[in-house]
Amino acid sequence: MSKKQILVVEDEAVVAEDIRKILQGYGYDVPEAISTGEGAIEAINKKHPDLILLDIMLKDDLSGIDVAKHIIGLDIPVIYLTAYSDRDVIEKAKATGPFGYLIKPFRERELVATIQMVFYKHKMEQQLKESEAKFRTLVETSDEGICMLDTEDYFTFINDAGAKIFGGVISDFEDTNLSDYLNSYNLKKVHKQNKLREENQSSRYELEIIRKDGRKRFLNIIGSPRFIDDEFVGTFGIFSDITEKKMTQLKLKRTMDSYTRIFENIQDIYFETEFDGTILEISPSIEHDSSYTRKELIGKSIFNLYSDENQHDLFLTKLTKDGHLTDYEIVLEDKDKTLLTCLINAKIIEDVDSNKVRIIGSLKNVTEQRESEIERKEYELRYRKLFESSSDAVILQDENGLIDCNNAATKLLGYSSKDELIKLKPADVSPMMQANNKPSKETSEEYYNQTIKNGNMKFEWELIKQNGRSFNAEVWLSSFQLNCKTFIQATIREIPDNKK
């Protein structure tokens, strides 16, 4: 370790040499003493010693105080040597920030002890300055807000980041109270926190502030107590703006609430399973479409519900190949062995974190629909048989004209095939005027609308065969709905000539 260098500035040669020898005896590096102010300034700038013993009263134009003023910015500790204790001189010396004084004559022990004390004090001050510089850098460059409040919650310090979070600049917080940014609810929260500080407790909490522009911000705060000489003097706070996080959490909560409401009320059956079919989640709607409860099914395999064990192999094969399925029909077996026809929509997804493959999708119970379709087809078949086998002419029409007829109708009207007949409208197989001198076209439309309104009606009507021969007939009209569309069925029976 290099020796500490001490420069002696003393115009009494004998005193200077005595000091020099004493200090060298204690291991210090002590160059030749300087006796003038100008020489001292030159030597200090050249050697930059670790400490200066400086006589206040030098015999040239510059005093020791003048020398000290020239070197204030060099951060070299100074100990004044003086044979005087004049108050004015001492006050002038104080202005230069010396580390100590030695009144001549002084003892060796006093000299050495003062120098050791000054070196220690200077070292502590340097460490304090370094610590303050680090703290200042941390505070000034931190993205988090840092502030200090007194016992009345007035700001005594805030960094630039903190001022920005509050919507201002540092100068805005002179004589500013935290309560200026709080509503009554959050003010009570701060008062509660202050009681913890007075009890020397730190805590973390969230606080909502209202900035001067009216915008609300949510802060996450770590508050710590500040004590000086065992007296509580206020709070030290570190805070960050978590508004975006809070908004995201709020949106997520709303989304989850909406999802929960949908999940609990969805008519179709939502499910999520492992790839082996183990049910991870299934919606409560399963209880509406089967005798199973949701709790009974979670943890069990959905494939065990298939009525045919080969179905799930076919399902997995197709799902694995395509990655998804839409309206894939399967038949499940209820707890009481009732068969349920379902349409399944499914998709394979992979969990990025666990690399596990899952299946998500929905089931729609179409058992009643399928049964209705079967019944409808059976009804249509029976109706078609009656329709074709009827000895009366039967014609079906909608708002656009004739759409179907049986063989009796084509025979009655003299057409060779129904294709020729169903291209026409009722007026096309009628004379221009009916027997009551009403136009066939307008009258047929009137009867059509009456039948739609009343459901049925009966009347006599003059018709024309394809060969042009006219004949009278009794006509029964009745309306019916099919697939949300209205149709008219006309049953026609020719009136024999002897009954006219």
Side-chain angles (χ1 to χ4, degrees):
M1 179 182 291
S2 60
K3 294 181 179 180
K4 295 282 189 182
Q5 187 181 86
I6 300 175
L7 180 65
V8 179
V9 181
E10 170 62 60
D11 58 3
E12 295 183 29
V14 176
V15 175
E17 190 60 26
D18 285 346
I19 294 173
R20 186 167 175 266
K21 287 181 180 179
I22 290 171
L23 297 181
Q24 284 177 335
Y26 279 89
Y28 293 109
D29 176 16
V30 188
E32 291 294 328
I34 306 298
S35 60
T36 66
E38 290 184 359
I41 292 173
E42 182 180 349
I44 292 168
N45 288 330
K46 183 177 180 180
K47 298 177 181 297
H48 201 84
D50 297 300
L51 185 144
I52 302 169
L53 293 173
L54 181 59
D55 190 357
I56 289 181
M57 304 304 291
L58 298 174
K59 293 179 180 179
D60 65 348
D61 294 336
L62 295 177
S63 68
I65 293 174
D66 294 327
V67 173
K69 289 178 180 179
H70 277 83
I71 64 170
I72 282 179
L74 298 181
D75 192 28
I76 301 173
V78 172
I79 299 174
Y80 279 125
L81 307 175
T82 181
Y84 305 95
S85 57
D86 183 87
R87 179 175 293 179
D88 291 340
V89 174
I90 296 298
E91 288 300 321
K92 290 179 181 178
K94 278 184 179 180
T96 62
F99 274 71
Y101 300 88
L102 283 170
I103 306 298
K104 293 186 287 187
F106 44 78
R107 297 177 182 178
E108 177 180 326
R109 182 185 301 173
E110 185 181 359
L111 171 66
V112 174
T114 300
I115 289 173
Q116 289 176 342
M117 181 190 69
V118 167
F119 272 130
Y120 177 77
K121 182 180 178 183
H122 183 251
K123 180 180 178 182
M124 292 298 101
E125 285 195 0
Q126 282 185 318
Q127 290 179 349
L128 179 60
K129 287 179 180 178
E130 290 176 2
S131 177
E132 288 178 344
K134 289 178 181 178
F135 176 76
R136 188 179 301 108
T137 301
L138 175 64
V139 168
E140 291 176 352
T141 60
S142 174
D143 291 332
E144 292 186 306
I146 299 174
C147 72
M148 288 188 287
L149 304 172
D150 64 17
T151 55
E152 300 297 325
D153 290 328
Y154 279 92
F155 286 91
T156 58
F157 169 80
I158 191 168
N159 67 345
D160 184 59
K164 288 180 179 177
I165 290 173
F166 273 81
V169 294
I170 293 175
S171 60
D172 294 336
F173 292 83
E174 297 176 5
D175 197 33
T176 298
N177 196 286
L178 178 60
S179 62
D180 297 340
Y181 296 88
L182 304 177
N183 58 24
S184 58
Y185 172 79
N186 285 279
L187 183 59
K188 289 179 182 177
K189 184 183 288 189
V190 169
H191 290 165
K192 184 177 180 181
Q193 292 294 322
N194 286 345
K195 291 181 180 179
L196 296 177
R197 305 292 169 267
E198 292 170 3
E199 296 170 0
N200 200 19
Q201 295 183 43
S202 298
S203 64
R204 181 191 293 268
Y205 64 101
E206 291 184 5
L207 189 69
E208 181 186 19
I209 64 170
I210 304 174
R211 303 198 310 193
K212 299 300 183 184
D213 59 7
R215 296 183 180 179
K216 295 181 180 180
R217 310 301 291 177
F218 292 93
L219 308 184
N220 181 58
I221 300 174
I222 300 175
S224 302
R226 294 175 57 233
F227 281 84
I228 297 179
D229 296 331
D230 295 327
E231 181 182 356
F232 176 67
V233 296
T235 298
F236 176 82
I238 300 176
F239 55 93
S240 57
D241 189 338
I242 58 169
T243 305
E244 300 305 322
K245 179 182 177 182
K246 291 286 287 186
M247 292 299 101
T248 301
Q249 289 175 341
L250 182 60
K251 290 178 181 177
L252 178 60
K253 183 180 182 302
R254 288 174 178 170
T255 300
M256 291 303 296
D257 289 345
S258 297
Y259 168 78
T260 301
R261 286 194 296 270
I262 293 171
F263 180 75
E264 291 178 350
N265 295 284
I266 192 171
Q267 297 301 306
D268 290 349
I269 302 165
Y270 169 83
F271 68 88
E272 182 177 337
T273 73
E274 301 279 9
F275 192 73
D276 64 3
T278 302
I279 299 172
L280 301 174
E281 185 59 274
I282 193 163
S283 61
S285 51
I286 185 65
E287 298 173 7
H288 299 152
D289 289 316
S290 75
S291 54
Y292 285 105
T293 65
R294 178 171 169 268
K295 288 184 179 180
E296 283 179 312
L297 292 176
I298 291 178
K300 295 185 178 180
S301 176
I302 196 171
F303 298 140
N304 291 339
L305 304 179
Y306 281 58
S307 64
D308 183 350
E309 62 181 14
N310 294 321
Q311 278 191 100
H312 70 77
D313 292 332
L314 294 173
F315 168 76
L316 280 181
T317 299
K318 189 167 180 58
L319 181 61
T320 304
K321 178 183 177 182
D322 299 337
H324 63 89
L325 290 175
T326 303
D327 290 342
Y328 184 83
E329 189 167 306
I330 59 173
V331 179
L332 302 180
E333 188 175 84
D334 201 357
K335 191 191 297 187
D336 60 1
K337 303 302 180 180
T338 300
L339 298 182
L340 304 173
T341 303
C342 299
L343 293 180
I344 185 170
N345 295 316
K347 182 179 181 180
I348 293 177
I349 61 171
E350 183 175 350
D351 191 313
V352 177
D353 296 327
S354 64
N355 291 324
K356 287 186 177 181
V357 175
R358 290 177 293 148
I359 300 173
I360 61 171
S362 62
L363 284 167
K364 184 179 183 66
N365 186 351
V366 294
T367 305
E368 292 184 2
Q369 181 181 334
R370 290 291 185 264
E371 290 174 350
S372 296
E373 287 175 357
I374 293 172
E375 290 177 359
R376 181 177 58 83
K377 288 179 180 179
E378 290 177 350
Y379 173 79
E380 287 178 353
L381 181 60
R382 289 196 301 270
Y383 176 80
R384 174 60 61 180
K385 288 181 178 178
L386 290 172
F387 179 77
E388 294 295 348
S389 62
S390 174
S391 58
D392 289 326
V394 181
I395 296 175
L396 296 181
Q397 73 174 92
D398 60 14
E399 59 186 2
N400 297 314
L402 309 184
I403 58 172
D404 199 2
C405 66
N406 63 359
N407 291 331
T410 58
K411 183 178 179 181
L412 176 64
L413 293 170
Y415 287 87
S416 58
S417 69
K418 70 167 61 176
D419 291 337
E420 293 177 318
L421 185 58
I422 61 176
K423 295 177 182 178
L424 306 176
K425 292 186 176 182
D428 296 330
V429 291
S430 306
M432 186 172 295
M433 302 293 289
Q434 288 296 311
N436 58 7
N437 294 321
K438 290 184 177 181
S440 295
K441 184 175 184 301
E442 286 78 2
T443 305
S444 64
E445 292 173 356
E446 179 185 340
Y447 289 174
Y448 178 90
N449 292 327
Q450 286 183 16
T451 304
I452 295 295
K453 180 180 180 181
N454 300 323
N456 57 74
M457 69 179 300
K458 178 183 177 183
F459 54 90
E460 289 189 5
W461 191 260
E462 185 178 353
L463 295 166
I464 298 176
K465 295 179 181 286
Q466 187 182 31
N467 59 13
R469 187 176 72 82
S470 64
F471 67 96
N472 291 325
E474 289 182 312
V475 179
W476 291 267
L477 298 184
S478 59
S479 65
F480 64 95
Q481 295 277 332
L482 181 63
N483 296 330
C484 300
K485 190 174 181 180
T486 302
F487 297 89
I488 297 291
Q489 175 181 301
T491 302
I492 304 168
R493 185 177 296 168
E494 184 176 3
I495 300 175
D497 292 338
N498 59 3
K499 291 187 178 182
K500 291 181 184 179

